[in-house]
Structure formats: C-alpha cells, structure tokens
Amino acid sequence: MKPDDAAVIRSLPLFADAREETFAELVRTAFLQRFPPGVTLINENDEADFLHVVVEGQVELFATFGERETTMSIVEPVGTFILAAVLNARIYLQSARTLQKSQVLMIPAEKVRDAMGTDAAFTRAVVTELARGYRRAVKEVKGQKLRTGAERLANWLLQRADAEGAGRITLPFEKRVLSSLLGMTPENLSRAFAVLKTHGVTSRGAVITLADRAALAAFARPDPLIDGPE
C-alpha cells in the first residue's frame, strides 16, 4: 500500500485513534485491489469475511427480494462497509458492487475482531461508528415515511449542492440508481423532477441546475432531525 493511501485510511474516524501497532497489523493483513465498474464485491447471505474500505471510486450497497432490487446506500471515499456483519461474524444483509473504477481495501474480519479485544481506543471508535450508522438509518427511514418523493429528491439535491459548493450538480451515477436510492421508481423520479421545475430545478441528462435555491429550500423544508449530521 502506498504511504499516501495508508495516511488517508488512518485519518478515518474508525482508525484515527487506534494504536500504531493495531493499525499496522490491520493494514499488514489487508488487500488493496482495483476493480472496474460493475463488479460485485460481496453478496447478501454470504459470510462476512472482510471489512471493506473504499479508497477510490464509488460502491453501491443493494438488496434483493425475488426479482426486485433496491439501492440501500452509496459508499464513497473514504467510507467502510459492512461493519455490523464483520463484528458479529454473521452474513451480509446487503450486496455491494462498484459503480465506478474503484480501489478497495479489504481487511480480514477476524483481524478487526481481534483488534477490538486488544485496543480500547479502536473499540470506542467501532462503537461510535455503529452508533452513527444507527442514527443514519433512522433518519433515512424517517425521510422515506414522512416525505413525498419530490421532497426526498429536493433535500437530496440540496445536500449534494452543499457538498459540491455549487448550484449545478453532475449526478455521480445513473438516474436509475438515484431513483432506487430515494425509494421510488424511475417514472416517479421523472415526476418528482417535473414538480421541482416550479422551484427552479432543471435537469438535462446528468446535469442538474438549481436556479432558485431559496425556493427549493422552502419546498424541501430541510430538517436537522432528518438531514443533519449523525
């Protein structure tokens, strides 16, 4: 692993306070690999063998039921998945595939569990990460149950615009993925964009323009109990 990559991973809240020997052992036994787009990294119902760290690219977590499929979340650098399954030595409840060319660090699950038994700071970081994940999940459920599709889209656009610091957004993935992420069909996503036109939102391919941010925010009504940090 390149020193720069190790430094980026070390800066993650999960690893930042771990002892040097703990981090060195986790990295020593890990695999850093590059994958093209569309590669399935894990399958739901498989045993959790690794904790995955997305160093570059973008990974979609998704789930299936019969012939149905839905996007659960998108993991971007530098993010991890799926910690809960690794700690419990249980099966994955989600699958994962690359959306872009990606570089992923895979840390053996056994080493992660061993580190929790010997490094109190690392254990505290793991508990904090799980707590953040729980709060994130609650907020996502609240958004799904309390907001219309157009309101969910409006708030997602506002958050993305804040992250990019611009009034024009280039979607980082297909609209099909966005609709699934927001819990709607592609047809309903198109209808949601049509609703948002009256609030200054225009869509041309992957480029979304927010011409009147104040009007969009008034419609979206961002709520820190749903949209705020974990």
Side-chain angles (χ1 to χ4, degrees):
M1 185 187 303
K2 297 177 182 178
D4 288 348
D5 291 334
V8 169
I9 294 164
R10 180 66 153 144
S11 69
L12 276 174
L14 186 61
F15 303 112
D17 295 328
R19 297 200 306 260
E20 287 295 336
E21 56 267 32
T22 299
F23 182 72
E25 178 64 12
L26 291 172
V27 171
R28 184 187 67 80
T29 58
F31 304 91
L32 184 63
Q33 296 189 11
R34 295 184 181 274
F35 300 94
V39 173
T40 298
L41 302 175
I42 63 173
N43 288 293
E44 55 186 322
N45 206 38
D46 283 353
E47 294 291 333
D49 295 328
F50 295 96
L51 175 66
H52 295 74
V53 182
V54 181
V55 179
E56 295 177 5
Q58 199 173 65
V59 173
E60 175 191 15
L61 300 184
F62 66 99
T64 59
F65 179 74
E67 296 182 355
R68 302 175 202 161
E69 180 179 299
T70 189
T71 301
M72 303 297 292
S73 62
I74 305 296
V75 184
E76 298 180 311
V78 177
T80 64
F81 65 95
I82 300 175
L83 183 58
V86 166
L87 297 183
N88 290 322
R90 301 293 296 273
I91 59 172
Y92 295 119
L93 299 180
Q94 306 170 76
S95 301
R97 63 184 166 220
T98 54
L99 292 176
Q100 304 173 356
K101 287 194 296 185
S102 301
Q103 189 176 34
V104 180
L105 179 72
M106 297 180 290
I107 305 174
E110 181 182 354
K111 293 297 182 180
V112 175
R113 293 191 292 269
D114 289 346
M116 286 191 66
T118 58
D119 191 327
F122 179 66
T123 301
R124 286 194 297 271
V126 167
V127 172
T128 299
E129 184 75 13
L130 290 173
R132 286 174 177 158
Y134 170 77
R135 290 176 63 83
R136 186 164 52 248
V138 170
K139 290 178 179 182
E140 289 172 357
V141 172
K142 289 174 68 175
Q144 290 282 346
K145 288 181 173 290
L146 297 174
R147 286 172 168 163
T148 66
E151 288 169 342
R152 294 197 297 274
L153 175 60
N155 279 282
W156 187 88
L157 291 173
L158 287 171
Q159 290 182 22
R160 197 76 195 184
D162 287 342
E164 296 186 9
R168 179 173 292 178
I169 302 165
T170 300
L171 293 179
F173 36 71
E174 298 176 7
K175 285 183 177 178
R176 169 193 60 79
V177 176
L178 177 60
S179 65
S180 185
L181 179 64
L182 296 178
M184 62 181 89
T185 64
E187 294 78 14
N188 284 338
L189 180 67
S190 295
R191 296 188 188 100
F193 271 114
V195 170
L196 297 187
K197 278 185 179 180
T198 60
H199 303 286
V201 176
T202 57
S203 170
R204 180 168 296 179
V207 179
I208 314 298
T209 302
L210 281 54
D212 192 338
R213 184 185 175 86
L216 184 62
F219 173 80
R221 294 179 297 165
D223 183 343
L225 297 181
I226 300 177
D227 309 298
E230 284 76 37

